[in-house]
Amino acid sequence: MITTHIRIAGMHCATCAKAIESSVQQLDGISSAEVNLAAETLRVGFDPDAVSIRDIEEAVREAGFSPVPEALTLRISGMHCAVCVQSVEKALAGLPGITSVSVNLGTEQAYLTYYPEITSIEEMKKAVSEAGFTVTGRDDDPASGTMDAVAARDLRMKAYRSILGFAVSGFLMLLMWTHPPLPLPMPLMMFLFATPFFAFLAYPIFSAAIRSLRHGILDMDVMYSLGIGTAYFSSVLSTFGIFLSADFNFYETAIMLTAFLTLGRYLEARAKGKTGEAIRSLMNLQPKTATVIRDGVGTIVPVEEIVPYDLVLVRPGEAIPVDGVVVEGESHVDESLVTGEPHPVYKGKDANVIGGTIPTNGAITIYATKVGKDTVLARIIRMVGEAQGSKPSVQRVADTVVSYFIPAVLIIAFSAFAFWYFIAGSPLLFAVTALISVLVVACPCALGLATPTAITVGIGRGAELGILIRNGEVLEQSGTITTVAIDKTGTLTEGRPEVTDITPYRRTEEELISYAASVERLSLHPLAEAIVRKAEEADAPLHEVAGFESFSGKGVFGYIQDLPVLIGNRSLLEEHSIQIPKNALGSIVRFESEGKTVPLIAVDRTYAGCIAITDPIKATSHDAVKVFEEMGLSVVMITGDNEHTAQVIGEEIGISRILAGVLPWDKAEEVSRLQERGEKVAFIGDGINDAPALAQADVGIAISGGTDVAVESGGIVLMQSNPLDAAAAIQLARKVMGRIRMNLFWAFFYNILLIPIAAGLLTPFFGITFRPEYAGLAMALSSVTIVSLSLLLRGYNPPAKKRGDPPADAG
């Protein structure tokens, strides 16, 4: 029996605990299931032969809660193609404590969730090793610099082997063409000269092939070993006159093929290294040390030693080490590498600052609020890493194709040999050449790299632009969007309402704002904050309130000095039988016609006046709507405002399709109605009040404003409160998916075109023979082409982003 603890999210009471225990205990093989509500954990004992940890997780989900396993990223070396990826995933997924695993060939990392009490990292390393690969470390391992040095050394060795291989093969070709006087016969001389170089150059390929065969894996190393091995050993047999004639003497071909294969891997590894530059740049933003003020003295300490509420001094040009709040000084802070904001942002006292950003023109002292893994930068890095490890469905299709690819190539290669030699009666030399060419030209690497490299580069580019994409599925869904539903407050507007007019009825302005602000200060609504701010600016007295009550989406109520005070919309006043005098309606209608929100106030069950509030429209909202329409998307504005006010704002922004009077909890229902009509919906909101709608939408785009990237409901999180970035996010997603489709097309086209040519398809018609050397060159270029196409995404700037960026000298 195994006993483990599972963290559970979403529990509130003993009933929740009972529901989880009951659901889990229904499974076979469970000996105990006990929930600790305070610790939010489930302690479960189970027989791994009868029930898996995934079954237990599913039982928790069926009870309506979310299991929370540990997340881990492992660096894996030795992978070359999609078959290698499948082998690593299979090895790790077979361990009892691992619940999900996804391997990215482009970044050479495995992203997994697991329960450390069941499966240890050492067991993972052993499983990967038994599959024929090596775990070189964890992503958060402090020895990652050492691993990078090892990777650099391996890259240099590949380059050295390639250069040596071309030099040796060139020398052998020169010998064959010039026939200089030699102390030994030419074949024997070439055998003695070529063999040690061939052994050195081909060793990595043969050793990898032997390792794969030992683990029952047919991968590209096996295929390439057959190709270059056939070329070399045919030459050996020819040299010593065993079965084959002197025509089969092609040592230079064997060495040149090996050089091309090594060159291909060198170029591929070098290009793959560039795909992760965006996330490495983010990691490099974190400084190693910081100046902490303790007992009035500034001391330089490692960043790891900073704790919440430490005072940290940051000088101009230094990176802010942690998230915090400015307590002294002021500066313009460069946030471009974290949020994508192109120009420095002014930060004064009480302003929030993000770790990794850089003050440009003044020293500031901050007190730390979030450190280590809790900082915005750390969460961005974590989110981007997890997204780069995800697989859209198109990748899963490619993986399925690859699993049949190598057996199919082997069948084609040996069938081509059999056809040309036994059926067509061609010379043995031609049949062997066709066999070698097919084995060498086939490239499952291109298929394996087509999707992960594009996702890695595209999601990294998004992070540089302040657009965080959670996973590959979001990229796919973004390409199918037909309708964009946008929440008004805080998305199209600034989200900071301001009082513009106070219109009392038989009371003074001070009395009206005083009554309203006294009750509203107990509310968390943005409109309430605007009223309280106005009262403070006017120095209006605030009274004690008793019996406060909130009517969600309608208004608030409370007693001031035993007088009932009601603040809200017309329907709320009507529900309480409060009449609005006819001579007061004119100002209400006028304010609404100007697009303002108009809370009505009643004191002692009598209408007392109204307050007009406006939420300024963002400067880029009109442009964003225009861009969405240019992209062929229908735009819908969802708001709690009344129909008339909503129409005025919609006309100003350029939106004709408006859903008005929608209460916060009804937004998800409105999104669902749009989906029922067959529309694919992207919902754009603030990620907190709009969480249900974001989760309901096909793609949820959450605006975080740069201070909170843990917006769980958003498939895409925007670091800036700019609606144009939402359009840029969809454009980026479409571009990445287009590049994936292009990569897959070229990968399939390359193999479908060149494998038949290598097998000799054109020989009967045009007399064209695809020599093994050319096959090796084509193979080397295919993977490099795919990765290079993906790398072009590094320079992609969505048109919407260009439209929203102010000129360099602005401001």
Side-chain angles (χ1 to χ4, degrees):
M1 301 296 291
I2 290 177
T3 300
T4 191
H5 292 80
I6 300 175
R7 283 193 298 151
I8 309 288
M11 293 190 294
H12 305 294
C13 60
T15 306
C16 303
K18 189 65 180 172
I20 293 169
E21 289 173 351
S22 176
S23 181
V24 172
Q25 285 169 348
Q26 289 176 13
L27 298 172
D28 294 332
I30 300 293
S31 62
S32 64
E34 300 170 2
V35 170
N36 183 327
L37 191 59
E40 296 187 313
T41 59
L42 165 68
R43 183 179 182 275
V44 59
F46 66 100
D47 179 359
D49 293 329
V51 64
S52 71
I53 191 69
R54 295 183 189 86
D55 296 329
I56 298 170
E57 281 193 330
E58 190 56 38
V60 172
R61 290 190 191 96
E62 286 176 2
F65 304 91
S66 302
V68 186
E70 297 285 333
L72 179 68
T73 302
L74 297 176
R75 294 188 176 199
I76 312 289
S77 69
M79 297 187 297
H80 302 298
C81 63
V83 177
C84 303
V85 169
Q86 291 173 352
S87 301
V88 174
E89 287 180 340
K90 184 178 178 182
L92 289 171
L95 295 173
I98 292 181
T99 58
S100 69
V101 57
S102 177
V103 176
N104 187 314
L105 181 61
T107 59
E108 296 184 316
Q109 290 178 324
Y111 305 88
L112 50 91
T113 54
Y114 78 113
Y115 292 94
E117 291 179 327
I118 303 175
T119 298
S120 69
I121 293 175
E122 288 305 313
E123 288 173 308
M124 296 179 205
K125 289 181 179 179
K126 184 180 178 184
V128 172
S129 176
E130 287 175 354
F133 306 92
T134 305
V135 174
T136 56
R138 295 162 57 171
D139 199 41
D140 57 355
D141 197 327
S144 59
T146 305
M147 290 181 274
D148 290 339
V150 171
R153 190 163 61 248
D154 180 62
L155 201 62
R156 286 195 300 272
M157 183 55 73
K158 282 185 172 74
Y160 172 68
R161 288 179 193 272
S162 301
I163 293 167
L164 180 64
F166 288 122
V168 171
S169 60
F171 177 73
L172 291 175
M173 290 171 72
L174 190 65
L175 280 182
M176 292 175 63
W177 291 337
T178 58
H179 292 283
L182 298 169
L184 295 171
M186 176 73 76
L188 188 59
M189 192 72 191
M190 292 184 73
F191 166 75
L192 293 172
F193 184 78
T195 297
F197 287 107
F198 179 77
F200 172 71
L201 295 169
Y203 172 75
I205 298 172
F206 278 109
S207 62
I210 293 167
R211 181 191 63 204
S212 297
L213 290 172
R214 192 183 298 131
H215 294 96
I217 300 169
L218 279 178
D219 63 6
M220 55 183 285
D221 288 304
V222 174
M223 208 159 57
Y224 295 159
S225 295
L226 281 171
I228 61 176
T230 300
Y232 174 75
F233 288 108
S234 296
S235 303
V236 172
L237 292 176
S238 169
T239 298
F240 295 101
I242 303 171
F243 302 126
L244 301 177
S245 67
D247 292 336
F248 287 83
N249 196 321
F250 27 61
Y251 290 106
E252 79 291 346
T253 299
I255 290 180
M256 187 175 287
L257 275 178
T258 309
F260 271 128
L261 294 175
T262 308
L263 175 66
R265 290 199 172 164
Y266 165 75
L267 294 172
E268 180 187 312
R270 188 174 160 188
K272 278 197 305 186
K274 292 179 181 177
T275 62
E277 279 186 1
I279 199 166
R280 281 196 294 275
S281 297
L282 287 172
M283 289 175 175
N284 291 336
L285 294 177
Q286 176 82 59
K288 299 288 185 285
T289 60
T291 303
V292 176
I293 300 172
R294 290 173 181 158
D295 300 323
V297 179
T299 307
I300 296 176
V301 301
V303 168
E304 295 79 17
E305 294 182 11
I306 299 176
V307 296
Y309 308 114
D310 268 347
L311 288 176
V312 183
L313 173 65
V314 188
R315 300 176 182 86
E318 294 179 347
I320 297 172
V322 293
D323 294 354
V325 176
V326 178
V327 294
E328 187 179 324
E330 57 183 29
S331 180
H332 283 81
V333 177
D334 182 358
E335 297 182 343
S336 59
L337 293 174
V338 178
T339 68
E341 173 60 47
H343 300 300
V345 180
Y346 172 77
K347 300 288 182 178
K349 188 172 169 56
D350 296 330
N352 290 310
V353 291
I354 303 171
T357 59
I358 301 171
T360 60
N361 60 351
I364 54 175
T365 301
I366 67 170
Y367 77 81
T369 54
K370 292 181 180 176
V371 302
K373 292 183 178 180
D374 295 325
T375 63
V376 167
L377 182 60
R379 283 180 286 168
I380 289 173
I381 291 168
R382 196 156 57 242
M383 187 188 294
V384 171
E386 289 169 0
Q388 290 178 338
S390 65
K391 290 185 179 182
S393 57
V394 67
Q395 170 67 20
R396 290 190 280 274
V397 171
D399 287 347
T400 303
V401 171
V402 167
S403 63
Y404 297 101
F405 181 84
I406 292 176
V409 170
L410 292 173
I411 290 169
I412 292 169
F414 287 103
S415 297
F417 173 85
F419 172 80
W420 289 116
Y421 186 63
F422 295 110
I423 299 174
S426 298
L428 180 59
L429 179 62
F430 177 80
V432 170
T433 300
L435 169 70
I436 295 170
S437 295
V438 171
L439 291 171
V440 172
V441 81
C443 188
C445 294
L447 284 169
L449 290 167
T451 301
T453 54
I455 285 180
T456 299
V457 178
I459 287 175
R461 178 58 181 153
E464 291 174 344
L465 296 170
I467 299 166
L468 306 180
I469 299 169
R470 282 198 180 279
N471 53 53
E473 287 76 9
V474 171
L475 290 172
E476 271 188 317
Q477 290 285 356
S478 297
T480 66
I481 294 302
T482 60
T483 301
V484 176
I486 311 177
D487 177 54
K488 187 205 77 172
T489 305
T491 306
L492 293 170
T493 63
E494 294 291 350
R496 186 178 169 82
E498 299 168 357
V499 173
T500 59
D501 303 271
I502 302 171
T503 306
Y505 185 79
R506 295 180 180 172
R507 290 185 182 271
T508 66
E509 279 195 19
E510 184 178 90
E511 280 182 316
L512 187 65
I513 194 70
S514 179
Y515 278 125
S518 296
V519 179
E520 290 285 16
R521 66 176 170 167
L522 300 177
S523 171
L524 297 175
H525 197 282
L527 296 182
E529 293 175 11
I531 293 171
V532 173
R533 272 199 311 275
K534 186 68 175 178
E536 289 171 348
E537 290 168 9
D539 290 324
L542 297 180
H543 308 286
E544 289 295 320
V545 176
F548 176 81
E549 193 175 347
S550 175
F551 305 95
S552 295
K554 293 182 179 180
V556 292
F557 172 83
Y559 287 95
I560 296 176
Q561 298 168 353
D562 294 328
L563 291 176
V565 178
L566 185 69
I567 308 165
N569 57 24
R570 290 196 210 189
S571 65
L572 184 63
L573 267 65
E574 287 169 5
E575 286 174 16
H576 287 75
S577 303
I578 295 170
Q579 297 292 320
I580 302 171
K582 289 183 179 178
N583 58 345
L585 283 171
S587 57
I588 297 172
V589 172
R590 177 167 55 84
F591 293 144
E592 287 179 346
S593 69
E594 293 170 0
K596 296 174 182 177
T597 302
V598 188
L600 310 177
I601 298 97
V603 178
D604 197 16
R605 298 179 180 84
T606 304
Y607 179 76
C610 67
I611 297 173
I613 301 173
T614 186
D615 188 1
I617 293 169
K618 289 178 180 175
T620 56
S621 292
H622 185 272
D623 280 345
V625 171
K626 205 168 181 182
V627 171
F628 284 130
E629 290 175 344
E630 287 170 0
M631 292 164 65
L633 302 174
S634 173
V635 182
V636 181
M637 184 176 80
I638 298 180
T639 177
D641 290 341
N642 64 59
E643 190 77 36
H644 188 75
T645 302
Q647 288 292 344
V648 172
I649 295 170
E651 284 173 19
E652 189 173 342
I653 296 172
I655 301 175
S656 57
R657 198 174 168 193
I658 295 166
L659 299 174
V662 181
L663 297 174
W665 53 86
D666 290 334
K667 292 175 186 174
E669 196 175 323
E670 293 296 340
V671 170
S672 180
R673 285 199 189 101
L674 292 171
Q675 291 169 323
E676 286 168 7
R677 295 177 200 153
E679 299 181 52
K680 293 287 185 180
V681 182
F683 182 85
I684 308 169
D686 64 13
I688 302 166
N689 299 324
D690 301 324
L694 287 164
Q696 175 65 42
D698 297 282
V699 176
I701 302 177
I703 291 181
S704 76
T707 56
D708 183 15
V709 295
V711 188
E712 294 302 327
S713 299
I716 297 173
V717 178
L718 306 179
M719 293 299 292
Q720 296 182 65
S721 298
N722 184 348
L724 269 172
D725 280 0
I730 295 175
Q731 289 172 342
L732 175 65
R734 287 180 170 183
K735 185 73 173 180
V736 173
M737 286 309 300
R739 188 54 43 88
I740 288 172
R741 284 189 283 271
M742 180 190 290
N743 285 352
L744 287 170
F745 168 77
W746 283 114
F748 278 111
F749 180 76
Y750 162 85
N751 283 292
I752 291 169
L753 178 70
L754 292 188
I755 289 175
I757 293 174
L761 181 67
L762 300 181
T763 303
F765 308 104
F766 306 103
I768 295 174
T769 302
F770 201 30
R771 290 185 57 80
E773 298 95 314
Y774 302 147
L777 175 62
M779 187 287 307
L781 293 177
S782 64
S783 296
V784 178
T785 302
I786 295 298
V787 178
S788 299
L789 285 172
S790 295
L791 286 174
L792 290 175
L793 290 169
R794 289 196 302 171
Y796 177 68
N797 198 18
K801 198 73 179 172
K802 295 177 191 172
R803 199 163 182 162
D805 287 344
D809 59 350

